[in-house]
Amino acid sequence: MRTYIADIEKFEDGMEVTVQGWIQEMRKIKNLMFIIVRDNTGIIQITVKKGSIPNYDELYEITRESVISVNGLLNKKSISRSGTEILASNIEILSIADTPLPLGVIDRVSADFDTRLNNRFLDLRKPEHLIIFKFESQLLFGIREYMNRENFIEVHTPKIVGAATEGGADLFGVEYFEKKAYLNQSPQLYKEMLISSGFDKVFEVGPAFRAEKENTVRHLNEFTSIDMEAAFIDDKKAMEYLERAISYAVNRTIDIMGTDLDRLEYHIDRLEPPFPRITYEESLKYLNNQGLKLSFGDDFSPEANKILAQKFKGFYFITGWPTDMRPFYTHPDTNPRLTKSFDLQLADIEVTSGAQRIHNYRMLEENFMKKGLNKNDFEFYEKAFKYGMPPHAGWGLGLERLVMNLLGLNNVRESTLFPRDRTRLSP
RNA sequence: GCCCCGAUAGUGUAGCGGCCUAUCAUACAGGCCUGUCGAGCCUGUGACACGGGUUCAAAUCCCGUUCGGGGCGCCA
């Protein structure tokens, strides 16, 4: 039976174990060799003496990153660095790696990010990269757990849609038999329709596509969006759900894998809601006091966001964005120039955008006009507002951006397995 | 879309008109070695993105192409 390398510490000296994994490293001294085997949980030294296994000579010639299955006795009094080794009695070669590797897994030379992405399967063998996705998995599990406890229904809405909706963002066109279709930029309209359906609280985790020709370290053309929408709540309540979901998920993940994260130099702090809040207009005033020249209606440049990040550290909300800066479905505040909207920032990056939504049919129609949208494109959506739509609010959270910033990564592609950006379509 | 920058062995780099038959590291191949742990030592293989031009001479200068990086705009 296979044992994961991390579990070996629980075993007693002299026990028989089987580990399976990749040959990370070999040190060969003619009649003796040391093989460092790696699996998804760790590494261990395998000690092989000539004569101790039948296929010694064959194994002596094997290449790094080949896959083997090792059976042997545990020696916990080894002089190896970890103090533990397996004295192999049988080693089965399962797969032989070609040489040279297009990218060294443990080589003492760096590789360009482009080279790493071109050979992502090898790049992800590095524990410091693998753990980003273990982290993401745990984080998402925590968010799901929180949402479930709050009685949200997880849903799946179409990613192929018929109309280029929402205005603003460019969409990717696709051929859909004899019709023109698009890859959806967000589940926004569908979430809202489900609110009309009486689902009450919905959330979705899925891909979102944006055909924007960006070339930055924080944009992708395909990313994972965690979207939520709930009936009979306002923007304030939506913010509460958000900060609680994130705090719960982060704290839970630290409990589960905090020591692993620390060991690989990812340092992350526990969170305590509520997160600080600042209004758009207050931010504007603050930024102008810091020497910027921003007027009402201006978006915050990366420079502005960095200044705000210094003030707040960690997470903070910017609330009350101007109407002109928000999509047509955003609910206005009592001051019609402002909306009941918010962004959640982590360091200098926006990770969530949310708001209370318009639920009044007439108001929605007016907004199509104001934003220069063709209401015919939205008929399927608008209909859901005509026959009983409760007030509602929600948000969309960018998973890769969240992970990127929590772990202090410098590029959103680092927290994306196979990123799709302006030029990259493979692997 | 705009603006900068870059491309040299598998990987990462040095070189920036003649000293380049191109540096170093790492990887790879071969050899020596019974306890290594960034093992060590010896030997070897391996590269100037592509196409034009300038020049007596181009990895080096100029133009174009392709590919890539970063910033801005915009956004999650």
Side-chain angles (χ1 to χ4, degrees):
Chain A
M1 203 185 83
R2 181 186 179 195
T3 300
Y4 285 101
I5 289 168
D7 292 334
I8 279 179
E9 60 181 56
K10 298 176 200 153
F11 284 58
E12 283 176 29
D13 190 37
M15 283 181 73
E16 186 181 343
V17 291
T18 301
V19 299
Q20 298 179 313
W22 287 256
I23 294 176
Q24 175 165 298
E25 210 181 328
M26 291 187 85
R27 283 187 284 279
K28 303 189 285 192
I29 309 168
K30 199 164 188 176
N31 294 321
L32 172 71
M33 63 183 149
F34 304 99
I35 302 173
I36 307 299
V37 170
R38 179 191 68 247
D39 70 13
N40 142 310
T41 66
I43 56 172
I44 190 166
Q45 175 169 298
I46 313 297
T47 302
V48 193
K49 290 178 182 170
K50 192 168 175 80
S52 68
I53 61 166
N55 53 346
Y56 185 91
D57 292 339
E58 190 189 359
L59 200 69
Y60 198 84
E61 300 304 324
I62 204 166
T63 51
R64 295 196 308 169
E65 296 302 320
S66 294
V67 179
I68 58 175
S69 181
V70 181
N71 181 257
L73 299 180
L74 200 55
N75 172 19
K76 301 199 93 168
K77 301 183 194 85
S78 159
I79 64 162
S80 69
R81 180 148 290 172
S82 70
T84 302
E85 67 183 351
I86 295 171
L87 301 167
S89 50
N90 193 269
I91 296 181
E92 193 183 346
I93 296 169
L94 301 175
S95 171
I96 294 176
D98 220 339
T99 59
L101 296 165
L103 176 73
V105 175
I106 58 156
D107 290 3
R108 301 193 301 279
V109 288
S110 55
D112 290 342
F113 199 15
D114 190 51
T115 306
R116 290 175 44 210
L117 288 176
N118 285 336
N119 301 282
R120 191 61 153 154
F121 70 98
L122 273 174
D123 183 53
L124 292 169
R125 289 184 190 179
K126 300 180 184 186
E128 66 268 33
H129 297 156
L130 168 65
I131 199 170
I132 295 168
F133 299 95
K134 287 183 175 175
F135 176 81
E136 183 183 287
S137 172
Q138 288 300 150
L139 194 70
L140 187 53
F141 188 92
I143 290 173
R144 279 208 163 93
E145 194 172 45
Y146 175 84
M147 300 304 269
N148 265 284
R149 279 198 206 150
E150 294 289 341
N151 296 313
F152 280 82
I153 300 172
E154 182 166 2
V155 298
H156 301 283
T157 62
K159 301 306 154 203
I160 304 174
V161 297
T165 55
E166 292 195 44
D170 291 324
L171 302 195
F172 290 107
V174 294
E175 270 180 48
Y176 195 76
F177 305 115
E178 63 279 356
K179 290 178 181 163
K180 177 75 177 168
Y182 302 89
L183 295 178
N184 209 171
Q185 65 170 279
S186 112
Q188 182 60 33
L189 308 185
Y190 291 94
K191 285 190 303 183
E192 292 192 71
M193 290 164 72
L194 293 172
I195 291 303
S196 167
S197 300
F199 276 48
D200 208 74
K201 295 172 171 175
V202 296
F203 81 103
E204 173 166 6
V205 181
F209 305 92
R210 307 269 165 98
E212 305 281 358
K213 294 180 176 177
E214 279 112 357
N215 186 214
T216 77
V217 293
R218 59 190 179 281
H219 287 93
L220 294 167
N221 294 288
E222 176 178 358
F223 65 94
T224 307
S225 181
I226 304 172
D227 268 85
M228 93 72 160
E229 203 70 35
F232 305 105
I233 68 165
D234 61 8
D235 49 325
K236 307 282 184 302
K237 184 65 186 173
M239 288 161 69
E240 243 175 60
Y241 278 127
L242 179 59
E243 62 196 355
R244 288 180 186 180
I246 290 175
S247 299
Y248 174 78
V250 166
N251 293 344
R252 176 187 171 279
T253 305
I254 291 172
D255 289 341
I256 290 170
M257 54 186 296
T259 52
D260 289 337
L261 287 165
D262 279 340
R263 198 178 53 239
L264 292 169
E265 313 260 315
Y266 294 109
H267 305 296
I268 163 167
D269 295 325
R270 300 183 73 84
L271 297 173
E272 183 66 46
F275 300 154
R277 282 135 165 89
I278 183 172
T279 67
Y280 171 81
E281 289 180 300
E282 286 163 359
S283 317
L284 218 53
K285 201 177 290 176
Y286 178 77
L287 289 167
N288 284 334
N289 281 338
Q290 298 295 308
L292 298 189
K293 289 189 171 57
L294 295 168
S295 35
F296 186 86
D298 286 345
D299 207 346
F300 298 155
S301 64
E303 187 194 2
N305 283 135
K306 283 190 178 75
I307 293 171
L308 287 171
Q310 280 175 1
K311 178 176 167 70
F312 288 104
K313 318 289 183 220
F315 285 97
Y316 63 98
F317 284 105
I318 303 175
T319 64
W321 292 82
T323 309
D324 290 345
M325 298 175 70
R326 288 281 157 162
F328 69 86
Y329 48 77
T330 312
H331 203 290
D333 209 332
T334 40
N335 172 355
R337 292 177 72 203
L338 298 176
T339 56
K340 300 178 80 170
S341 62
F342 57 88
D343 280 357
L344 179 66
Q345 306 276 133
L346 173 51
D348 60 337
I349 301 275
E350 177 188 343
V351 293
T352 308
S353 193
Q356 183 172 331
R357 327 293 191 185
I358 292 172
H359 62 281
N360 180 288
Y361 177 74
R362 295 282 163 229
M363 197 185 275
L364 195 62
E365 280 215 314
E366 277 171 32
N367 263 17
F368 287 140
M369 304 257 289
K370 282 183 195 162
K371 298 276 181 184
L373 298 167
N374 182 354
K375 78 179 273 250
N376 293 334
D377 289 342
F378 295 89
E379 202 194 340
F380 76 99
Y381 164 75
E382 204 186 16
K383 245 163 96 177
F385 288 72
K386 267 173 133 172
Y387 306 100
M389 173 65 93
H392 58 284
W395 38 256
L397 166 63
L399 178 60
E400 293 88 351
R401 277 194 179 179
L402 180 65
V403 170
M404 165 191 177
N405 268 238
L406 284 171
L407 296 183
L409 308 173
N410 58 18
N411 192 322
V412 72
R413 294 167 183 83
E414 293 280 7
S415 55
T416 308
L417 285 172
F418 301 104
R420 289 291 172 265
D421 62 29
R422 176 73 186 85
T423 52
R424 180 172 288 280
L425 198 49
S426 172

